[in-house]
Amino acid sequence: MMNERLFRGMQGAWLGAKGAVERLVGADRLDRFLDRLRFYELKSRLIRFKRVMPDGSTLLYRPWDRRIVDEVYGGCYRWAKIGPGDSVIDVGAHIGSFSVMAARRIAPGGRLLCVEPEPENARILAANLAANQLYWA
């Protein structure tokens, strides 16, 4: 896991260097080159943060997922009226921030179905469910 402060410093350096290269070769050409190197896919797999949420669950997330995690745990979702024994379907589960919160509320006896079509998000979703020992979801 990477420290968020360290990430911010590295991000600033990266954006400065990327901007300089874009001015030299053009933004489209640089993006095509980085895509061929699979840079964006690699970045998505390597940069992860881990956070313990107010309900005691643990979430892995990427820097660009932070707003979604904050919205689920700090926004209107925390008031969702779900409880033990309920059934929840999370379509477009993303990395599982709502799925993990819902699973903790509906256990024991509840049912949870999470659907996420994007492969990298689905991998993080599976890791978040496993990290919280929600194997039944």
Side-chain angles (χ1 to χ4, degrees), residues 81-102:
K81 296 183 190 254
I82 50 178
D86 287 349
S87 295
V88 174
I89 300 173
D90 189 1
V91 178
H94 194 247
I95 62 167
S97 42
F98 178 75
S99 299
V100 169
M101 182 181 70

Side-chain angles (χ1 to χ4, degrees), residues 23-133:
R23 284 189 292 280
L24 289 173
V25 300
D28 291 339
R29 193 170 178 189
L30 178 61
D31 277 341
R32 283 194 306 273
F33 176 72
L34 292 174
D35 276 341
R36 267 187 262 132
L37 292 177
R38 301 179 74 129
F39 173 77
Y40 296 114
E41 181 183 328
L42 180 65
K43 181 178 82 167
S44 180
R45 290 179 184 223
L46 291 179
I47 301 174
R48 303 263 170 84
F49 300 139
K50 186 178 195 176
R51 187 161 132 195
V52 177
M53 304 313 293
D55 66 356
S57 58
T58 301
L59 280 180
L60 297 173
Y61 64 98
R62 298 161 300 200
W64 47 92
D65 298 327
R66 183 176 181 167
R67 285 191 179 155
I68 294 169
V69 171
D70 289 344
E71 180 183 332
V72 168
Y73 280 88
C76 62
Y77 293 102
R78 68 181 165 173
W79 305 113
K81 296 183 190 254
I82 50 178
D86 287 349
S87 295
V88 174
I89 300 173
D90 189 1
V91 178
H94 194 247
I95 62 167
S97 42
F98 178 75
S99 299
V100 169
M101 182 181 70
R104 293 179 70 85
R105 288 186 185 182
I106 64 176
R111 296 175 58 163
L112 176 68
L113 174 65
C114 314
V115 180
E116 175 51 54
E118 201 281 314
E120 187 59 29
N121 287 344
R123 278 190 278 280
I124 298 172
L125 168 63
N128 280 329
L129 292 173
N132 291 285
Q133 298 167 351

